[in-house]
Amino acid sequence: MERILLTALLAGHAAIWNVLGFDEVRVRLGSVEGSRCSGRVEVFKGERWGTVCSRGWDLRDAAVVCRELDCGFAFSTQAGALFSRSSGEVWWRNVRCSGDEFTLDLCERTPNDKVCPHNEDAGVECTDKLPAPTLTMQSPFCAYSAGEAVLFTCTAPYWRHPIDLYLYKSGVDTPLVTQRADFRQTRVELTLSDLETSHQGSYSCLYRLQGNPGNSPSSNIINITVLEIHTPQIWYNTSQMVRPGWVNRGQSFNVTCSTQPQYPGGSFQLRLIRPNGTVRHSLPALAPFVTFSFSNAQASNEGYYCCLYKVQFGGRTFVSRESQPLAINVRGADPILSPVVISLLVSGLTFVTATCAILIVAKVYCKRVRKPTELERESRTCVDNTYIALTIK
Ligand SMILES: *[C@@H]1O[C@H](CO)[C@@H](O)[C@H](O)[C@H]1NC(C)=O
Ligand SMILES: *[C@@H]1O[C@H](CO)[C@@H](O)[C@H](O)[C@H]1NC(C)=O
């Protein structure tokens, strides 16, 4: 009985609610255009509508108002004076929402105490739907070799406050790249560096407005392929094997290049490095290995042989690393003047000189520093070539 009476008494009598500590607070947005989801922030408190001071008012506070009014996301914090004429009292200043509150009343704030005039009223623009961003790629190609980087660009609509952009790979729950866009910035580079074959797949981006819950819809999808071209192996054989690294003059010999051909349709290139120039041979890779045949070994066949694998994919040419160098000497081919022998002699001499120099230096500085020898440098020229992905002109 008592309860019914109390309820009847309280109904429609906000003042009593206040006395009892139930201060009913409601929020609306006042606008001359009558828009429900943007306008001057108005708060109903103690039977009267008043406003909120824009001092300390930010998008996190605005986001709470938009949420409370079921208006979606905070788009901007406009000056309230732009929307409507002021009325009533200015209730609060320095509103401090975390952005997660369900109502503005749950946010911390300071009573205004007549500090803030009406021309500083806070305003809000809400939007009910975030538009999807656009994902583009700076390179016109969608095939990459392992170790390269892909530069994506995610373009979001214009927002008046910072946004966070995320690059997602389909099938992976967490974003691979996250980047914050500054105020007024709508395009952001999302770089996926040091590609591995596991990066092959479909990519999209999305964004989140700072202080607002929820993500934008996903962008369009871009597929990329990541190729890993293995370094070929190299070996040789001859009809009369004398000793390793040697071929008898006039004999035939075969140099074989081999790799695991994950990407068929390529070719093997054999490079002969000699003191007086480089000779190149090329054969289509019809099998996992190809044999370069030399029917009549001469002094001109002497030198270091290297092979590499070359394949076209997605409009680009991919080249493997060069194999280890293979030294071939031709026996009976004027051995004294043989370039390999000369190069060996030179490197031996350099080595001795270098060692002597080092010993002297070491004595002076009590440190061991060793210069690379000619031979070492020579053999490194093959190996030092890294993956080169050439663009077809
Ligand atoms: C990307 O790849 C997926 C699956 O491989 C395919 O279904 C989709 O059509 C591709 N999308 C584009 C834009 O190429
Ligand atoms: C070199 O290869 C050819 C065919 O590719 C073969 O007929 C020949 O016997 C090989 N020679 C040597 C020395 O292995």
Side-chain angles (χ1 to χ4, degrees):
M1 184 62 190
E2 262 173 47
R3 246 166 76 190
I4 292 167
L5 188 68
L6 189 64
T7 314
L9 267 169
L10 295 183
H13 227 286
I16 297 174
W17 285 91
N18 291 348
V19 170
L20 295 177
F22 301 107
D23 190 1
E24 191 207 19
V25 171
R26 280 188 283 141
V27 169
R28 70 178 182 197
L29 294 174
S31 159
V32 278
E33 292 108 47
S35 157
R36 194 179 71 82
C37 289
S38 56
R40 185 191 294 263
V41 179
E42 295 179 351
V43 173
F44 185 80
K45 184 164 111 61
E47 286 198 292
R48 279 174 298 146
W49 285 98
T51 58
V52 175
C53 175
S54 63
R55 294 185 199 177
W57 182 257
D58 66 16
L59 275 153
R60 275 178 298 203
D61 310 321
V64 173
V65 172
C66 294
R67 184 182 303 120
E68 181 170 357
L69 296 176
D70 204 13
C71 283
F73 305 94
F75 172 61
S76 77
T77 57
Q78 288 278 33
L82 292 175
F83 293 104
S84 66
R85 289 188 42 186
S86 55
S87 61
E89 254 187 85
V90 182
W91 294 124
W92 304 327
R93 65 190 158 94
N94 205 8
V95 175
R96 299 177 294 276
C97 302
S98 72
D100 297 326
E101 293 87 352
F102 284 107
T103 64
L104 194 64
D105 192 30
L106 295 173
C107 300
E108 282 182 49
R109 70 258 171 167
T110 311
N112 184 35
D113 294 333
K114 306 213 162 39
V115 172
C116 193
H118 264 306
N119 60 10
E120 288 185 41
D121 278 349
V124 172
E125 275 185 291
C126 308
T127 174
D128 57 352
K129 215 163 104 194
L130 294 180
T134 312
L135 186 67
T136 50
M137 213 163 30
Q138 296 198 343
S139 145
F141 305 106
C142 53
Y144 294 87
S145 58
E148 280 189 306
V150 204
L151 267 67
F152 289 104
T153 303
C154 189
T155 308
Y158 172 76
W159 297 103
R160 284 172 214 168
H161 52 103
I163 54 175
D164 292 320
L165 294 107
Y166 305 90
L167 180 72
Y168 278 91
K169 179 177 186 288
S170 82
V172 181
D173 290 339
T174 49
L176 269 68
V177 186
T178 301
Q179 187 79 46
R180 174 153 299 179
D182 291 333
F183 174 66
R184 284 172 195 274
Q185 189 185 353
T186 60
R187 294 164 64 84
V188 151
E189 256 176 37
L190 299 164
T191 306
L192 199 59
S193 49
D194 208 4
L195 284 178
E196 293 171 18
T197 45
S198 63
H199 283 123
Q200 178 164 318
S202 308
Y203 287 83
S204 63
C205 71
L206 54 80
Y207 62 92
R208 186 175 296 161
L209 292 186
Q210 232 179 67
N212 280 283
N215 294 326
S216 77
S218 286
S219 70
N220 54 306
I221 284 172
I222 289 183
N223 290 337
I224 64 164
T225 306
V226 182
L227 288 83
E228 189 169 18
I229 316 259
H230 294 287
T231 308
Q233 301 284 309
I234 188 167
W235 67 85
Y236 86 104
N237 46 39
T238 174
S239 41
Q240 279 185 326
M241 191 62 99
V242 213
R243 59 188 156 104
W246 289 84
V247 174
N248 280 331
R249 183 179 184 164
Q251 289 285 320
S252 70
F253 69 101
N254 288 341
V255 177
T256 303
C257 299
S258 146
T259 192
Q260 296 155 276
Q262 308 111 302
Y263 310 101
S267 63
F268 282 102
Q269 289 211 340
L270 184 69
R271 188 160 78 106
L272 166 60
I273 306 156
R274 300 191 302 150
N276 54 353
T278 294
V279 186
R280 284 189 170 83
H281 306 272
S282 180
L283 281 175
L286 302 174
F289 59 86
V290 296
T291 299
F292 295 86
S293 293
F294 300 91
S295 55
N296 182 10
Q298 294 298 324
S300 60
N301 294 122
E302 285 191 322
Y304 293 96
Y305 288 82
C306 302
C307 38
L308 55 78
Y309 186 68
K310 209 170 166 178
V311 68
Q312 294 205 356
F313 196 96
R316 298 176 76 192
T317 302
F318 293 90
V319 182
S320 78
R321 228 174 249 268
E322 263 189 332
S323 68
Q324 288 290 325
L326 169 75
I328 289 185
N329 303 280
V330 177
R331 195 164 118 144
D334 224 352
I336 304 301
L337 295 177
S338 149
V340 175
V341 170
I342 288 171
S343 112
L344 283 171
L345 280 175
V346 168
S347 43
L349 209 63
T350 317
F351 183 76
V352 170
T353 319
T355 314
C356 289
I358 287 154
L359 285 174
I360 294 161
V361 171
K363 268 198 170 159
V364 176
Y365 295 105
C366 298
K367 268 186 187 170
R368 279 177 35 158
V369 184
R370 192 176 144 268
K371 262 172 74 181
T373 65
E374 282 284 326
L375 179 64
E376 284 169 338
R377 266 187 251 147
E378 179 112 346
S379 46
R380 267 187 222 155
T381 57
C382 268
V383 190
D384 276 353
N385 288 294
T386 47
Y387 282 107
I388 318 155
L390 300 167
T391 301
I392 299 178
K393 295 265 157 76

